[in-house]
């Protein structure tokens, strides 16, 4: 919706007030895709190659079919929870509350890493390993009551939970503590100290749950102003991936049952834009390409960063539409495409086959 168009929610309220018409309950919308399309339409530093995007859709679909990629793939990783109960919901909430900023400027063998179960874990998996290790040590790291206890949950205790097997500490540790504190307070005040109550309040709507998270928790409100648009551009990366992880873990049943799960978009981080660039789907302006290639820091909320994130969301949406056009029967959505692209990029990184670095932004949003 452009700024010149009437707001449907406002129109409904006006009709109800002046005409006495009953208010029809609209299905929730996150607004993420709408904002991404707006940025794409007005982007000057990131562009999409439609032919490459179409070709990528065919390749992605074929490889996902070969690997039988589905929600089942989520639980297959050894570090992800295997039980399907309230404790798993608490684990996933904690995980995605802290699921941000793991990149390092140091060499691979010197970056923040966690030793657990006779393996060394980096990136996102270092977070999951840290949480599992803490629970093994009887540290109630997934309990909101613990987060609010300043004597037990503090910088010292978190340094122990996220202790590294290298000299580099986990980035943004103070911000992670602040996220735990805030979330504990909100869950205490509004949801009886249980994220399952928050899920229940969303009434099986994925978009509704994302909106609740963005409304009630400052640390999930991932949105920015972009030139020429009155409303902020919403990314809501961690709110969306939280809903997606619950859906995938529970295979769309129980706590993971959402009637509108396909409204969730790709999760705008730094890895998926990287593989989209590798596939030739997105291209950068010379100034932006130079910044990314040098590994310079892009400030959170900078126009370059907003364009990178938003155009990646729109690119994955076009890939999804092309797959559905070619294969109408395909059970595929932006979540599964994102999971697949992220895993693929990590494999290329491990094999030393990166053709372009990822952009570097240090923030709590991703």
């Amino acid at each position: 919706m452009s700024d010149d168009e009437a707001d449907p929610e406002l129109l409904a309220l006006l009709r109800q007030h002046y005409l006495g018409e009953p208010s029809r309950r609209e299905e929730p919308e996150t607004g993420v895709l709408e904002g991404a399309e707006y940025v794409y339409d007005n982007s000057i530093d990131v562009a999409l190659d439609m032919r490459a995007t179409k070709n990528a859709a065919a390749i992605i679909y074929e490889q996902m079919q070969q690997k039988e990629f589905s929600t089942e793939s989520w639980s297959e990783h050894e570090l992800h929870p295997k039980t399907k109960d309230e404790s798993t919901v608490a684990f996933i909430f904690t995980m995605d509350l802290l699921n941000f900023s793991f990149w390092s400027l140091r060499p691979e063998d010197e970056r923040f890493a966690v030793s657990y179960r006779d393996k060394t874990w980096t990136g996102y998996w270092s977070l999951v390993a840290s949480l599992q290790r803490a629970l093994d040590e009887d540290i109630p790291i997934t309990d909101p009551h613990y987060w609010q206890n300043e004597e037990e949950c503090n910088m010292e205790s978190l340094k122990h939970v996220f202790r590294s097997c290298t000299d580099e500490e986990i980035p943004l540790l103070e911000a992670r503590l602040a996220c735990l504190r805030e979330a504990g307070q909100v869950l205490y005040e509004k949801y009886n100290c249980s994220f399952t109550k928050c899920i229940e309040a969303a009434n099986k709507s994925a978009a509704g749950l994302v909106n609740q998270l963005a409304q009630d928790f400052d640390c999930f409100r991932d949105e920015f102003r972009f030139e020429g648009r009155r409303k902020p551009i919403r990314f809501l990366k961690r709110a969306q991936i939280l809903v997606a992880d619950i859906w995938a873990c529970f295979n769309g049943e129980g706590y993971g049952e959402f009637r509108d799960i396909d409204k969730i978009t790709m999760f705008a981080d730094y890895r998926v834009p990287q593989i989209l660039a590798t596939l030739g789907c997105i291209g950068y302006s010379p100034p932006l390409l130079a910044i990314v290639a040098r590994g310079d820091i892009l400030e959170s909320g900078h126009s370059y960063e907003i364009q990178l994130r938003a155009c990646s969301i729109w690119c994955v949406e076009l890939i999804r539409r092309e797959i559905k056009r070619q294969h109408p029967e395909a059970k595929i959505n932006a979540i599964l495409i994102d999971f697949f692209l992220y895993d693929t990029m990590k494999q290329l990184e491990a094999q030393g086959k990166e053709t372009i670095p990822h952009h570097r932004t240090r923030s709590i949003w991703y």
Side-chain angles (χ1 to χ4, degrees):
M1 184 177 74
S2 72
D3 290 345
D4 296 328
E5 295 174 358
D7 188 323
E9 293 180 9
L10 180 58
L11 283 176
L13 285 172
L14 289 171
R15 288 194 189 100
Q16 183 184 10
H17 180 74
Y18 289 108
L19 304 177
E21 294 181 9
S23 177
R24 182 167 56 87
R25 188 175 181 85
E26 296 286 340
E27 279 293 298
E29 299 289 344
T30 67
V32 173
L33 196 60
E34 171 196 327
E37 184 179 17
Y38 177 88
V39 174
Y40 164 71
D41 287 341
N42 293 275
S43 176
I44 58 174
D45 294 292
V46 181
L48 268 57
D49 184 317
M50 293 305 170
R51 178 173 292 182
T53 299
K54 190 173 181 178
N55 292 339
I59 294 168
I60 290 166
Y61 177 74
E62 181 182 352
Q63 292 189 6
M64 289 179 76
Q65 292 299 109
Q66 289 175 358
K67 296 181 180 181
E68 298 181 344
F69 203 85
S70 69
T71 53
E72 299 284 348
S73 306
W74 194 93
S75 295
E76 288 172 1
H77 194 281
E78 63 179 285
L79 290 184
H80 275 159
K82 300 299 181 283
T83 57
K84 312 291 182 186
D85 55 23
E86 191 168 343
S87 68
T88 298
V89 173
F91 186 95
I92 294 172
F93 180 71
T94 310
M95 181 179 79
D96 286 322
L97 189 60
L98 305 175
N99 184 2
F100 54 83
S101 202
F102 302 105
W103 58 268
S104 173
L105 293 172
R106 298 192 185 187
E108 186 65 22
D109 60 346
E110 296 178 16
R111 63 180 294 190
F112 170 71
V114 170
S115 180
Y116 179 63
R117 293 180 183 172
D118 299 321
K119 290 184 181 179
T120 300
W121 307 93
T122 60
Y124 161 75
W125 295 113
S126 66
L127 166 68
V128 187
S130 295
L131 298 180
Q132 294 285 19
R133 181 177 64 183
L135 293 176
D136 289 351
E137 296 171 348
D138 294 324
I139 300 170
I141 191 61
T142 62
D143 186 347
H145 294 95
Y146 175 71
W147 307 339
Q148 295 179 83
N149 188 327
E150 295 186 13
E151 290 185 5
E152 293 187 6
C153 182
N154 49 45
M155 285 294 290
E156 277 307 306
S157 60
L158 283 195
K159 282 181 181 178
H160 175 75
V161 168
F162 295 108
R163 63 191 182 276
S164 177
C165 58
T166 70
D167 290 336
E168 185 177 39
E169 292 187 350
I170 190 171
L172 301 180
L173 187 62
E174 286 188 26
R176 296 176 200 277
L177 177 59
C179 288
L180 291 173
R181 285 270 194 272
E182 186 213 346
Q185 188 67 24
V186 173
L187 290 178
Y188 173 77
E189 292 175 354
K190 296 191 175 186
Y191 298 107
N192 197 27
C193 276
S194 173
F195 184 62
T196 57
K197 302 297 183 187
C198 190
I199 295 174
E200 290 165 6
N203 193 29
K204 300 188 187 302
S205 170
L209 183 51
V210 167
N211 288 342
Q212 264 178 238
L213 288 164
Q215 176 180 304
D216 292 343
F217 301 82
D218 289 347
C219 63
F220 279 111
R221 199 173 303 131
D222 176 12
E223 57 185 32
F224 294 90
R225 294 286 171 184
F226 186 73
E227 57 238 47
R229 193 171 194 257
R230 178 174 52 85
K231 294 193 296 184
I233 303 299
R234 306 187 93 199
F235 294 107
L236 308 182
K237 185 266 182 178
R238 288 191 296 108
Q240 289 205 101
I241 203 169
L242 169 55
V243 175
D245 282 341
I246 291 170
W247 171 71
C249 175
F250 288 87
N251 292 312
E253 300 174 351
Y255 292 121
E257 181 184 350
F258 300 104
R259 63 180 179 276
D260 56 353
I261 193 63
D262 290 348
K263 288 182 179 179
I264 302 300
T265 71
M266 162 265 185
F267 318 119
D269 62 357
Y270 46 86
R271 282 301 181 189
V272 177
Q274 183 185 21
I275 193 166
L276 291 175
T278 300
L279 291 168
C281 298
I282 63 175
Y284 306 154
S285 68
L288 175 55
L289 182 60
I291 288 171
V292 173
R294 288 195 304 265
D296 293 350
I297 302 297
L298 267 181
E299 291 300 318
S300 179
H302 190 285
S303 177
Y304 284 160
E305 189 229 8
I306 290 173
Q307 291 175 69
L308 269 171
R309 298 181 77 195
C311 290
S312 297
I313 290 174
W314 190 245
C315 185
V316 169
E317 171 63 13
L318 295 182
I319 289 171
R320 184 197 67 80
R321 291 181 185 182
E322 177 63 17
I323 292 174
K324 291 295 285 185
R325 189 177 72 82
Q326 295 290 341
H327 310 278
E329 77 292 344
K331 293 182 178 179
I332 197 165
N333 57 23
I335 297 171
L336 293 175
I337 294 171
D338 181 287
F339 285 169
F340 177 80
L341 289 175
Y342 179 89
D343 289 351
T344 303
M345 191 64 245
K346 291 297 288 182
Q347 290 168 8
L348 291 175
E349 179 192 33
Q351 296 165 5
K353 295 180 179 178
E354 291 175 290
T355 59
I356 184 173
H358 63 75
H359 72 276
R360 299 184 186 277
T361 297
R362 187 70 81 192
S363 77
I364 70 167
W365 307 120
Y366 61 98

